[in-house]
Amino acid sequence: MLDRVEIEAKLKEVSKDKCVAFAVRSAMRVLPILALPRKNDLKAKLIVKSSEVFWFWGNDKCFYLLTLFRAYSFDIGFVMDKSSFKYHARYKICSSEAADEADDSYYAADVAFAADAAVDATDLTSDKNYAAHAASYAAEYSYCSARKINFESFIEQAVQNDLRELASLTAQEFLQQPLWTKTISDEWMQLYKAFMEQIETLNMGFDVWLSLYNDLVTGCPIDINKLKFFNNIPQELEAQGVAKVNAQIKNLIQNNGSQPLNRARTIFIGYGEAGKTSLIRALHGEKVVKGKEAMTAGIEVREWPVPDTDIQAHFWDFGGQVVFHSTHKFFLRSSCVYVVVINARADINNSEQAEYWLEHVKVFGGSAPVLIVGNKVDEASVHLQMQTLSQKYPNIKGFYPLSCTHAKTSHRHQFVQFKQALTHELQEVGIHQMLFTPAQANVLEELREYSPDHAFLSEQEFHRICDKHGIINEGELNREWLVDIFDKLGVMLHFDELKAFNDSYMLNPRWLTHGVYTLMNAKQARLNEQDMVSILKAAPVQDEHQHLLSYPPDKCLFISKAMQRFRLCYPLPHGANTLLIPALLCDELPRYPPELHDEQTLRFEFAFNGFLPRNLIGEFMVSRHEEIKNDLQSQRGAVFVSKTLQAEALVEADYHRRLLVMQVYGRDAKDYLMILYDVMIAVFGDLALDYREWVDLPRSALDTNSLERELLKLGNKVEKAEYKQLIETAKDNQAKFISASGLKYDVKKVLGYFLSESEQSRQGITNNFYGANPTVTQNKDQQVSNQTVNISHSTIHGSVLAAEKIENCLNTLQSSPADNDIKQLLTELLKHIAELNSKVPAKVLDPITRDAEDLVNEVNSDNPRKRNSLFSLEGIKDAAIALGETAKPIIEIAEKISPLLQSF
């Protein structure tokens, strides 16, 4: 029996890197156990259907496999050269998720937990005792997973042998020993072979990782330079998917690619007149004169060579005016360094200033490093509650009170400290930069040489450059991939959906940012094409290379389309090519709907803890602009009327109370509320927002016992309940909900007030909770509406938003130029997806619906792309396979469509 406490005690006697080596070897020994089928019978043939390969991870199997391999390679890199392999929180987060997602299969969860413990052992903030603690758990999890298949004795022997070897070998020598020092058992070899074969069936390029794993199993020498390719996967590459990640690693190894991007972005944010521009001037060694710096209107971009490196930093100076805050989502990124500038003389409390902008970073930039600068300390002191702020925002790297006007004199020491800190953080960002092969690097360099004199690059010229440097247009890493990665890195911007208006790639993002901000700064909510041409012509500007930017009329159209793509504006229906920018409207509605005072109005609130981004309400308005009623809109919200339901709504932002409020009224209010709710959640996207959802508790749902006494206690007050807590209460079959004041409410009546019967079913609330008759009466005159949406003579009961998407897809197909056979099969496919609406939860249905929508749009385009079409179809198939028998017709139709798409 393996004794974890005994193992930990022995590991405390060795160095930290030896603990890590021990941990990763323990974890790697049980990796092939993931090849087991649902029935963990080693005597059975380890041949499973493709749908059951790594079944415990469902549709995310490739992502989690990549996660484990990355965890191993990071641990190995840490042991071999910890100075070159920096810890990244992503390893820890993903390996934990892999374990959590595999908990339906306890042996698979233990395998992932072993890898997670190995990553834990590398924690740079801890000592060797913690590393020993984590490493002992890696051994224990490995033992536990092996015990499920009667393999634990082999693991125990290997662990004891490792503990002996640690005494006589260095960490590097120990790590490069064969994984099994004795003869490998037939059972393990059977698993190992099955594991390799199953990964190959995924067709995701994992052979590059299997080669590394095989070297570690057999004890081949580790090539540090090659290992860097495995450990350097920036977020931009990760966002392209597993196949692209694996293909680029293989490409780098084969071509000995090692050319880094050598570009890093620094974002300077803060309120207007805080001194962001002055700070950038001081960093460039330029003189800063008090009162002489004009307020930045939008974004300024300057380059700065990072001292003692080959890295060129791009300083993005954001205007602090509130009107521009709604655009931050499109330019703020996670792979950069943030500098928050606090104005010591501002009326706003220093800590409040800092927290407002730190929330910006948290939402838009994730865990990106932040430096806080307190400017103008020669005029007033800056007081920050740094202990509190650092606990809430652990990505704060330091606070630097200084004076830009005295950066070379009385406050030189403080300024030098800040400059050194900024240099260090930019160097850290540079470690995780994108690496390129020589051919890719040559294309990149030619684009850099071309960009100072040209804002745009034609598609034809891009292909000429690719031809020149041998970038082919086939395989995973084709020219389309290169365009996408350059776009994500900000090398050149490309909006595929705007090709009809401009077939060029943008090499100078300053051209677009200046164009957008100049139009925003005009403070004109409604703009036609002539307005745009006039405004941009009247505001000449130079880029960071001192080249004058020009805005001819045809390019102005591109800016308007880009603004629509960013959901900054929308076209008015009868406005002669006129755009409306919600952020520039007046602050209040012209008039408020009288129906809001009706007691049957449904009220739903999103309450934000600390920060409500200003882009959310504008994006929501743009998303549903066709439903805005009679121009009843302001910069804080609008009145919407449904085109398919008898319902209207007022949706507004309350920035003082940090609320987004939806008030819905009409016969079909419940169904319209859920449509608007889904739209709002889609607007939130993957932003790191901190909010809670609340609904009003109707008085009609109060417990009927002692009702008069309860109403007297309540008075005129309307109580609220957390929406998700109500849902969970119903799922737990609890009949009563106790409010904050202690009053009891009938859960059945509360949810019936807000949710239709079909929506409750979609939320997973069973009829067992409601008994035989789930219909809920709101009052004497109004019965619960059970909304139905007709789709080609069939009726769906469920998510109206999903139904809308499928309906739109079917309408699109009717006028599609696609082959009739494809159109007919797609129609059948959509109908079967529609039938799932009432059978599966929204979180399962939504990805299928999105893939179906993407597939239809691709098929309907003038030049459909085979790869994109097949990718969407594969997503539908994977989701259907995971659903099993329920979705069998979808799988069968998808198989028929696949060969037809090959002809694109």
Side-chain angles (χ1 to χ4, degrees), residues 34 56-57 60-61 63-65 67-68 91-105 108-113 115-116:
L34 297 178
F56 35 80
W57 282 326
D60 294 322
K61 61 185 70 173
F63 171 74
Y64 287 124
L65 271 173
T67 289
L68 294 191
Y91 296 117
K92 171 65 181 166
I93 294 169
C94 291
S95 53
S96 297
E97 288 177 353
D100 293 339
E101 289 298 317
D103 61 6
D104 285 337
S105 165
D110 283 335
V111 170
F113 273 126
D116 184 47

PDB file of all heavy atoms in Angstrom, residues 34 56-57 60-61 63-65 67-68 91-105 108-113 115-116:
ATOM      1  N   LEU A  34      -6.229   6.589 -19.698  1.00  0.00           N
ATOM      2  CA  LEU A  34      -7.324   7.324 -20.350  1.00  0.00           C
ATOM      3  C   LEU A  34      -7.886   6.574 -21.547  1.00  0.00           C
ATOM      4  O   LEU A  34      -8.953   6.910 -22.052  1.00  0.00           O
ATOM      5  CB  LEU A  34      -6.832   8.708 -20.797  1.00  0.00           C
ATOM      6  CG  LEU A  34      -6.380   9.668 -19.688  1.00  0.00           C
ATOM      7  CD1 LEU A  34      -5.880  10.965 -20.294  1.00  0.00           C
ATOM      8  CD2 LEU A  34      -7.505   9.942 -18.710  1.00  0.00           C
ATOM      9  N   PHE A  56     -15.169  10.508 -21.461  1.00  0.00           N
ATOM     10  CA  PHE A  56     -15.445  11.264 -20.240  1.00  0.00           C
ATOM     11  C   PHE A  56     -15.272  12.765 -20.419  1.00  0.00           C
ATOM     12  O   PHE A  56     -15.681  13.543 -19.576  1.00  0.00           O
ATOM     13  CB  PHE A  56     -14.543  10.771 -19.099  1.00  0.00           C
ATOM     14  CG  PHE A  56     -13.187  10.351 -19.563  1.00  0.00           C
ATOM     15  CD1 PHE A  56     -12.204  11.280 -19.814  1.00  0.00           C
ATOM     16  CD2 PHE A  56     -12.905   9.008 -19.785  1.00  0.00           C
ATOM     17  CE1 PHE A  56     -10.961  10.894 -20.276  1.00  0.00           C
ATOM     18  CE2 PHE A  56     -11.655   8.610 -20.234  1.00  0.00           C
ATOM     19  CZ  PHE A  56     -10.673   9.553 -20.481  1.00  0.00           C
ATOM     20  N   TRP A  57     -14.623  13.210 -21.524  1.00  0.00           N
ATOM     21  CA  TRP A  57     -14.443  14.625 -21.780  1.00  0.00           C
ATOM     22  C   TRP A  57     -15.393  15.165 -22.858  1.00  0.00           C
ATOM     23  O   TRP A  57     -15.329  16.344 -23.194  1.00  0.00           O
ATOM     24  CB  TRP A  57     -13.004  14.923 -22.198  1.00  0.00           C
ATOM     25  CG  TRP A  57     -12.055  14.961 -21.041  1.00  0.00           C
ATOM     26  CD1 TRP A  57     -12.322  15.387 -19.778  1.00  0.00           C
ATOM     27  CD2 TRP A  57     -10.681  14.572 -21.054  1.00  0.00           C
ATOM     28  NE1 TRP A  57     -11.199  15.290 -18.996  1.00  0.00           N
ATOM     29  CE2 TRP A  57     -10.172  14.794 -19.744  1.00  0.00           C
ATOM     30  CE3 TRP A  57      -9.824  14.071 -22.022  1.00  0.00           C
ATOM     31  CZ2 TRP A  57      -8.854  14.523 -19.405  1.00  0.00           C
ATOM     32  CZ3 TRP A  57      -8.511  13.806 -21.674  1.00  0.00           C
ATOM     33  CH2 TRP A  57      -8.035  14.026 -20.379  1.00  0.00           C
ATOM     34  N   ASP A  60     -14.994  18.233 -25.567  1.00  0.00           N
ATOM     35  CA  ASP A  60     -13.767  18.969 -25.247  1.00  0.00           C
ATOM     36  C   ASP A  60     -12.560  18.047 -25.109  1.00  0.00           C
ATOM     37  O   ASP A  60     -11.529  18.441 -24.564  1.00  0.00           O
ATOM     38  CB  ASP A  60     -13.957  19.758 -23.942  1.00  0.00           C
ATOM     39  CG  ASP A  60     -14.986  20.859 -24.083  1.00  0.00           C
ATOM     40  OD1 ASP A  60     -15.026  21.483 -25.154  1.00  0.00           O
ATOM     41  OD2 ASP A  60     -15.749  21.090 -23.134  1.00  0.00           O
ATOM     42  N   LYS A  61     -12.673  16.816 -25.591  1.00  0.00           N
ATOM     43  CA  LYS A  61     -11.614  15.831 -25.375  1.00  0.00           C
ATOM     44  C   LYS A  61     -10.260  16.305 -25.911  1.00  0.00           C
ATOM     45  O   LYS A  61      -9.226  16.103 -25.266  1.00  0.00           O
ATOM     46  CB  LYS A  61     -11.995  14.494 -26.003  1.00  0.00           C
ATOM     47  CG  LYS A  61     -12.209  14.536 -27.508  1.00  0.00           C
ATOM     48  CD  LYS A  61     -12.695  13.193 -28.054  1.00  0.00           C
ATOM     49  CE  LYS A  61     -14.103  12.900 -27.631  1.00  0.00           C
ATOM     50  NZ  LYS A  61     -14.661  11.681 -28.267  1.00  0.00           N
ATOM     51  N   PHE A  63      -9.155  19.381 -26.382  1.00  0.00           N
ATOM     52  CA  PHE A  63      -8.641  20.489 -25.570  1.00  0.00           C
ATOM     53  C   PHE A  63      -8.011  19.976 -24.277  1.00  0.00           C
ATOM     54  O   PHE A  63      -6.923  20.404 -23.886  1.00  0.00           O
ATOM     55  CB  PHE A  63      -9.769  21.470 -25.256  1.00  0.00           C
ATOM     56  CG  PHE A  63      -9.402  22.524 -24.252  1.00  0.00           C
ATOM     57  CD1 PHE A  63      -8.564  23.572 -24.605  1.00  0.00           C
ATOM     58  CD2 PHE A  63      -9.869  22.470 -22.944  1.00  0.00           C
ATOM     59  CE1 PHE A  63      -8.213  24.545 -23.676  1.00  0.00           C
ATOM     60  CE2 PHE A  63      -9.523  23.433 -22.014  1.00  0.00           C
ATOM     61  CZ  PHE A  63      -8.690  24.474 -22.390  1.00  0.00           C
ATOM     62  N   TYR A  64      -8.687  19.042 -23.616  1.00  0.00           N
ATOM     63  CA  TYR A  64      -8.169  18.553 -22.339  1.00  0.00           C
ATOM     64  C   TYR A  64      -6.954  17.648 -22.521  1.00  0.00           C
ATOM     65  O   TYR A  64      -6.056  17.632 -21.675  1.00  0.00           O
ATOM     66  CB  TYR A  64      -9.270  17.844 -21.555  1.00  0.00           C
ATOM     67  CG  TYR A  64     -10.280  18.812 -20.985  1.00  0.00           C
ATOM     68  CD1 TYR A  64     -11.637  18.704 -21.263  1.00  0.00           C
ATOM     69  CD2 TYR A  64      -9.862  19.868 -20.184  1.00  0.00           C
ATOM     70  CE1 TYR A  64     -12.549  19.613 -20.749  1.00  0.00           C
ATOM     71  CE2 TYR A  64     -10.767  20.781 -19.669  1.00  0.00           C
ATOM     72  CZ  TYR A  64     -12.107  20.650 -19.948  1.00  0.00           C
ATOM     73  OH  TYR A  64     -13.000  21.555 -19.438  1.00  0.00           O
ATOM     74  N   LEU A  65      -6.897  16.919 -23.614  1.00  0.00           N
ATOM     75  CA  LEU A  65      -5.678  16.160 -23.902  1.00  0.00           C
ATOM     76  C   LEU A  65      -4.488  17.105 -24.084  1.00  0.00           C
ATOM     77  O   LEU A  65      -3.395  16.875 -23.552  1.00  0.00           O
ATOM     78  CB  LEU A  65      -5.865  15.322 -25.164  1.00  0.00           C
ATOM     79  CG  LEU A  65      -6.433  13.917 -24.993  1.00  0.00           C
ATOM     80  CD1 LEU A  65      -6.710  13.297 -26.347  1.00  0.00           C
ATOM     81  CD2 LEU A  65      -5.472  13.038 -24.188  1.00  0.00           C
ATOM     82  N   THR A  67      -4.235  19.985 -22.846  1.00  0.00           N
ATOM     83  CA  THR A  67      -3.975  20.542 -21.518  1.00  0.00           C
ATOM     84  C   THR A  67      -3.014  19.663 -20.725  1.00  0.00           C
ATOM     85  O   THR A  67      -2.055  20.153 -20.121  1.00  0.00           O
ATOM     86  CB  THR A  67      -5.298  20.685 -20.746  1.00  0.00           C
ATOM     87  OG1 THR A  67      -6.066  21.742 -21.327  1.00  0.00           O
ATOM     88  CG2 THR A  67      -5.055  21.015 -19.286  1.00  0.00           C
ATOM     89  N   LEU A  68      -3.262  18.352 -20.717  1.00  0.00           N
ATOM     90  CA  LEU A  68      -2.393  17.452 -19.958  1.00  0.00           C
ATOM     91  C   LEU A  68      -0.990  17.404 -20.548  1.00  0.00           C
ATOM     92  O   LEU A  68       0.008  17.443 -19.822  1.00  0.00           O
ATOM     93  CB  LEU A  68      -3.000  16.048 -19.915  1.00  0.00           C
ATOM     94  CG  LEU A  68      -4.321  15.898 -19.151  1.00  0.00           C
ATOM     95  CD1 LEU A  68      -4.658  14.429 -18.963  1.00  0.00           C
ATOM     96  CD2 LEU A  68      -4.266  16.580 -17.802  1.00  0.00           C
ATOM     97  N   TYR A  91      -1.844  26.782 -17.097  1.00  0.00           N
ATOM     98  CA  TYR A  91      -1.574  25.360 -16.905  1.00  0.00           C
ATOM     99  C   TYR A  91      -2.379  24.826 -15.729  1.00  0.00           C
ATOM    100  O   TYR A  91      -2.999  23.774 -15.803  1.00  0.00           O
ATOM    101  CB  TYR A  91      -0.082  25.128 -16.636  1.00  0.00           C
ATOM    102  CG  TYR A  91       0.820  25.499 -17.778  1.00  0.00           C
ATOM    103  CD1 TYR A  91       1.762  26.503 -17.643  1.00  0.00           C
ATOM    104  CD2 TYR A  91       0.742  24.834 -19.000  1.00  0.00           C
ATOM    105  CE1 TYR A  91       2.606  26.849 -18.689  1.00  0.00           C
ATOM    106  CE2 TYR A  91       1.583  25.170 -20.054  1.00  0.00           C
ATOM    107  CZ  TYR A  91       2.509  26.176 -19.893  1.00  0.00           C
ATOM    108  OH  TYR A  91       3.324  26.506 -20.925  1.00  0.00           O
ATOM    109  N   LYS A  92      -2.346  25.570 -14.635  1.00  0.00           N
ATOM    110  CA  LYS A  92      -3.016  25.129 -13.415  1.00  0.00           C
ATOM    111  C   LYS A  92      -4.526  25.105 -13.611  1.00  0.00           C
ATOM    112  O   LYS A  92      -5.201  24.138 -13.262  1.00  0.00           O
ATOM    113  CB  LYS A  92      -2.642  26.068 -12.267  1.00  0.00           C
ATOM    114  CG  LYS A  92      -3.428  25.849 -10.986  1.00  0.00           C
ATOM    115  CD  LYS A  92      -3.147  24.501 -10.378  1.00  0.00           C
ATOM    116  CE  LYS A  92      -3.958  24.283  -9.112  1.00  0.00           C
ATOM    117  NZ  LYS A  92      -3.958  22.896  -8.696  1.00  0.00           N
ATOM    118  N   ILE A  93      -5.059  26.162 -14.195  1.00  0.00           N
ATOM    119  CA  ILE A  93      -6.512  26.258 -14.365  1.00  0.00           C
ATOM    120  C   ILE A  93      -7.025  25.122 -15.239  1.00  0.00           C
ATOM    121  O   ILE A  93      -7.993  24.438 -14.903  1.00  0.00           O
ATOM    122  CB  ILE A  93      -6.887  27.630 -14.984  1.00  0.00           C
ATOM    123  CG1 ILE A  93      -6.556  28.758 -13.993  1.00  0.00           C
ATOM    124  CG2 ILE A  93      -8.357  27.669 -15.361  1.00  0.00           C
ATOM    125  CD1 ILE A  93      -6.645  30.140 -14.592  1.00  0.00           C
ATOM    126  N   CYS A  94      -6.359  24.883 -16.363  1.00  0.00           N
ATOM    127  CA  CYS A  94      -6.852  23.890 -17.319  1.00  0.00           C
ATOM    128  C   CYS A  94      -6.688  22.467 -16.823  1.00  0.00           C
ATOM    129  O   CYS A  94      -7.540  21.616 -17.065  1.00  0.00           O
ATOM    130  CB  CYS A  94      -6.161  24.064 -18.665  1.00  0.00           C
ATOM    131  SG  CYS A  94      -6.653  25.570 -19.508  1.00  0.00           S
ATOM    132  N   SER A  95      -5.585  22.185 -16.123  1.00  0.00           N
ATOM    133  CA  SER A  95      -5.417  20.826 -15.623  1.00  0.00           C
ATOM    134  C   SER A  95      -6.450  20.522 -14.547  1.00  0.00           C
ATOM    135  O   SER A  95      -6.920  19.394 -14.426  1.00  0.00           O
ATOM    136  CB  SER A  95      -3.992  20.620 -15.104  1.00  0.00           C
ATOM    137  OG  SER A  95      -3.638  21.604 -14.158  1.00  0.00           O
ATOM    138  N   SER A  96      -6.834  21.531 -13.779  1.00  0.00           N
ATOM    139  CA  SER A  96      -7.902  21.345 -12.793  1.00  0.00           C
ATOM    140  C   SER A  96      -9.227  21.089 -13.492  1.00  0.00           C
ATOM    141  O   SER A  96     -10.011  20.231 -13.085  1.00  0.00           O
ATOM    142  CB  SER A  96      -8.021  22.583 -11.897  1.00  0.00           C
ATOM    143  OG  SER A  96      -6.855  22.786 -11.153  1.00  0.00           O
ATOM    144  N   GLU A  97      -9.490  21.854 -14.557  1.00  0.00           N
ATOM    145  CA  GLU A  97     -10.730  21.664 -15.306  1.00  0.00           C
ATOM    146  C   GLU A  97     -10.789  20.273 -15.921  1.00  0.00           C
ATOM    147  O   GLU A  97     -11.847  19.638 -15.947  1.00  0.00           O
ATOM    148  CB  GLU A  97     -10.837  22.721 -16.414  1.00  0.00           C
ATOM    149  CG  GLU A  97     -11.138  24.120 -15.918  1.00  0.00           C
ATOM    150  CD  GLU A  97     -11.151  25.135 -17.041  1.00  0.00           C
ATOM    151  OE1 GLU A  97     -10.801  24.764 -18.182  1.00  0.00           O
ATOM    152  OE2 GLU A  97     -11.505  26.294 -16.784  1.00  0.00           O
ATOM    153  N   ALA A  98      -9.676  19.783 -16.422  1.00  0.00           N
ATOM    154  CA  ALA A  98      -9.640  18.446 -17.025  1.00  0.00           C
ATOM    155  C   ALA A  98     -10.045  17.394 -16.004  1.00  0.00           C
ATOM    156  O   ALA A  98     -10.762  16.441 -16.322  1.00  0.00           O
ATOM    157  CB  ALA A  98      -8.239  18.154 -17.569  1.00  0.00           C
ATOM    158  N   ALA A  99      -9.590  17.573 -14.762  1.00  0.00           N
ATOM    159  CA  ALA A  99      -9.948  16.628 -13.702  1.00  0.00           C
ATOM    160  C   ALA A  99     -11.424  16.739 -13.348  1.00  0.00           C
ATOM    161  O   ALA A  99     -12.135  15.740 -13.210  1.00  0.00           O
ATOM    162  CB  ALA A  99      -9.078  16.877 -12.472  1.00  0.00           C
ATOM    163  N   ASP A 100     -11.909  17.977 -13.225  1.00  0.00           N
ATOM    164  CA  ASP A 100     -13.320  18.187 -12.859  1.00  0.00           C
ATOM    165  C   ASP A 100     -14.261  17.634 -13.920  1.00  0.00           C
ATOM    166  O   ASP A 100     -15.289  17.030 -13.611  1.00  0.00           O
ATOM    167  CB  ASP A 100     -13.596  19.675 -12.648  1.00  0.00           C
ATOM    168  CG  ASP A 100     -12.873  20.227 -11.424  1.00  0.00           C
ATOM    169  OD1 ASP A 100     -12.510  19.411 -10.554  1.00  0.00           O
ATOM    170  OD2 ASP A 100     -12.666  21.443 -11.355  1.00  0.00           O
ATOM    171  N   GLU A 101     -13.904  17.851 -15.185  1.00  0.00           N
ATOM    172  CA  GLU A 101     -14.771  17.405 -16.277  1.00  0.00           C
ATOM    173  C   GLU A 101     -14.764  15.887 -16.442  1.00  0.00           C
ATOM    174  O   GLU A 101     -15.661  15.320 -17.045  1.00  0.00           O
ATOM    175  CB  GLU A 101     -14.345  18.057 -17.598  1.00  0.00           C
ATOM    176  CG  GLU A 101     -14.654  19.540 -17.681  1.00  0.00           C
ATOM    177  CD  GLU A 101     -16.142  19.821 -17.586  1.00  0.00           C
ATOM    178  OE1 GLU A 101     -16.937  19.098 -18.210  1.00  0.00           O
ATOM    179  OE2 GLU A 101     -16.508  20.761 -16.859  1.00  0.00           O
ATOM    180  N   ALA A 102     -13.742  15.211 -15.909  1.00  0.00           N
ATOM    181  CA  ALA A 102     -13.633  13.754 -16.050  1.00  0.00           C
ATOM    182  C   ALA A 102     -14.212  13.015 -14.856  1.00  0.00           C
ATOM    183  O   ALA A 102     -14.052  11.811 -14.732  1.00  0.00           O
ATOM    184  CB  ALA A 102     -12.173  13.354 -16.241  1.00  0.00           C
ATOM    185  N   ASP A 103     -14.915  13.738 -13.954  1.00  0.00           N
ATOM    186  CA  ASP A 103     -15.315  13.086 -12.709  1.00  0.00           C
ATOM    187  C   ASP A 103     -16.379  12.011 -12.893  1.00  0.00           C
ATOM    188  O   ASP A 103     -16.660  11.250 -11.970  1.00  0.00           O
ATOM    189  CB  ASP A 103     -15.768  14.116 -11.664  1.00  0.00           C
ATOM    190  CG  ASP A 103     -16.970  14.929 -12.118  1.00  0.00           C
ATOM    191  OD1 ASP A 103     -17.530  14.618 -13.191  1.00  0.00           O
ATOM    192  OD2 ASP A 103     -17.347  15.868 -11.400  1.00  0.00           O
ATOM    193  N   ASP A 104     -16.992  11.924 -14.076  1.00  0.00           N
ATOM    194  CA  ASP A 104     -17.898  10.804 -14.342  1.00  0.00           C
ATOM    195  C   ASP A 104     -17.109   9.497 -14.435  1.00  0.00           C
ATOM    196  O   ASP A 104     -17.662   8.414 -14.309  1.00  0.00           O
ATOM    197  CB  ASP A 104     -18.667  11.024 -15.656  1.00  0.00           C
ATOM    198  CG  ASP A 104     -19.756  12.067 -15.482  1.00  0.00           C
ATOM    199  OD1 ASP A 104     -20.180  12.273 -14.333  1.00  0.00           O
ATOM    200  OD2 ASP A 104     -20.173  12.667 -16.481  1.00  0.00           O
ATOM    201  N   SER A 105     -15.832   9.607 -14.711  1.00  0.00           N
ATOM    202  CA  SER A 105     -14.961   8.439 -14.794  1.00  0.00           C
ATOM    203  C   SER A 105     -13.853   8.640 -13.771  1.00  0.00           C
ATOM    204  O   SER A 105     -12.898   9.360 -14.010  1.00  0.00           O
ATOM    205  CB  SER A 105     -14.364   8.331 -16.198  1.00  0.00           C
ATOM    206  OG  SER A 105     -13.288   7.447 -16.212  1.00  0.00           O
ATOM    207  N   ALA A 108     -10.197   8.412 -14.730  1.00  0.00           N
ATOM    208  CA  ALA A 108      -9.739   9.493 -15.601  1.00  0.00           C
ATOM    209  C   ALA A 108      -9.536  10.780 -14.799  1.00  0.00           C
ATOM    210  O   ALA A 108      -8.599  11.538 -15.043  1.00  0.00           O
ATOM    211  CB  ALA A 108     -10.733   9.726 -16.730  1.00  0.00           C
ATOM    212  N   ALA A 109     -10.419  11.026 -13.840  1.00  0.00           N
ATOM    213  CA  ALA A 109     -10.269  12.206 -12.990  1.00  0.00           C
ATOM    214  C   ALA A 109      -8.962  12.128 -12.199  1.00  0.00           C
ATOM    215  O   ALA A 109      -8.237  13.111 -12.065  1.00  0.00           O
ATOM    216  CB  ALA A 109     -11.462  12.335 -12.045  1.00  0.00           C
ATOM    217  N   ASP A 110      -8.642  10.940 -11.688  1.00  0.00           N
ATOM    218  CA  ASP A 110      -7.395  10.775 -10.930  1.00  0.00           C
ATOM    219  C   ASP A 110      -6.173  11.005 -11.808  1.00  0.00           C
ATOM    220  O   ASP A 110      -5.170  11.564 -11.367  1.00  0.00           O
ATOM    221  CB  ASP A 110      -7.329   9.376 -10.310  1.00  0.00           C
ATOM    222  CG  ASP A 110      -8.213   9.250  -9.074  1.00  0.00           C
ATOM    223  OD1 ASP A 110      -8.475  10.286  -8.442  1.00  0.00           O
ATOM    224  OD2 ASP A 110      -8.645   8.129  -8.758  1.00  0.00           O
ATOM    225  N   VAL A 111      -6.238  10.559 -13.062  1.00  0.00           N
ATOM    226  CA  VAL A 111      -5.126  10.786 -13.992  1.00  0.00           C
ATOM    227  C   VAL A 111      -4.890  12.284 -14.169  1.00  0.00           C
ATOM    228  O   VAL A 111      -3.751  12.767 -14.128  1.00  0.00           O
ATOM    229  CB  VAL A 111      -5.411  10.121 -15.356  1.00  0.00           C
ATOM    230  CG1 VAL A 111      -4.370  10.556 -16.387  1.00  0.00           C
ATOM    231  CG2 VAL A 111      -5.412   8.605 -15.234  1.00  0.00           C
ATOM    232  N   ALA A 112      -5.985  13.021 -14.353  1.00  0.00           N
ATOM    233  CA  ALA A 112      -5.864  14.470 -14.541  1.00  0.00           C
ATOM    234  C   ALA A 112      -5.435  15.166 -13.251  1.00  0.00           C
ATOM    235  O   ALA A 112      -4.657  16.127 -13.283  1.00  0.00           O
ATOM    236  CB  ALA A 112      -7.190  15.044 -15.037  1.00  0.00           C
ATOM    237  N   PHE A 113      -5.939  14.695 -12.123  1.00  0.00           N
ATOM    238  CA  PHE A 113      -5.533  15.286 -10.844  1.00  0.00           C
ATOM    239  C   PHE A 113      -4.036  15.063 -10.586  1.00  0.00           C
ATOM    240  O   PHE A 113      -3.370  15.898  -9.971  1.00  0.00           O
ATOM    241  CB  PHE A 113      -6.350  14.702  -9.690  1.00  0.00           C
ATOM    242  CG  PHE A 113      -7.635  15.421  -9.434  1.00  0.00           C
ATOM    243  CD1 PHE A 113      -8.838  14.739  -9.406  1.00  0.00           C
ATOM    244  CD2 PHE A 113      -7.652  16.793  -9.211  1.00  0.00           C
ATOM    245  CE1 PHE A 113     -10.034  15.408  -9.168  1.00  0.00           C
ATOM    246  CE2 PHE A 113      -8.843  17.471  -8.970  1.00  0.00           C
ATOM    247  CZ  PHE A 113     -10.036  16.772  -8.949  1.00  0.00           C
ATOM    248  N   ALA A 115      -1.696  15.034 -12.892  1.00  0.00           N
ATOM    249  CA  ALA A 115      -1.029  16.075 -13.693  1.00  0.00           C
ATOM    250  C   ALA A 115      -1.173  17.434 -13.021  1.00  0.00           C
ATOM    251  O   ALA A 115      -0.238  18.245 -13.002  1.00  0.00           O
ATOM    252  CB  ALA A 115      -1.616  16.102 -15.099  1.00  0.00           C
ATOM    253  N   ASP A 116      -2.353  17.693 -12.466  1.00  0.00           N
ATOM    254  CA  ASP A 116      -2.616  18.955 -11.780  1.00  0.00           C
ATOM    255  C   ASP A 116      -1.685  19.115 -10.573  1.00  0.00           C
ATOM    256  O   ASP A 116      -1.124  20.185 -10.329  1.00  0.00           O
ATOM    257  CB  ASP A 116      -4.080  18.973 -11.334  1.00  0.00           C
ATOM    258  CG  ASP A 116      -4.471  20.295 -10.691  1.00  0.00           C
ATOM    259  OD1 ASP A 116      -4.143  21.337 -11.275  1.00  0.00           O
ATOM    260  OD2 ASP A 116      -5.090  20.272  -9.616  1.00  0.00           O
TER     261      ASP A 116
END
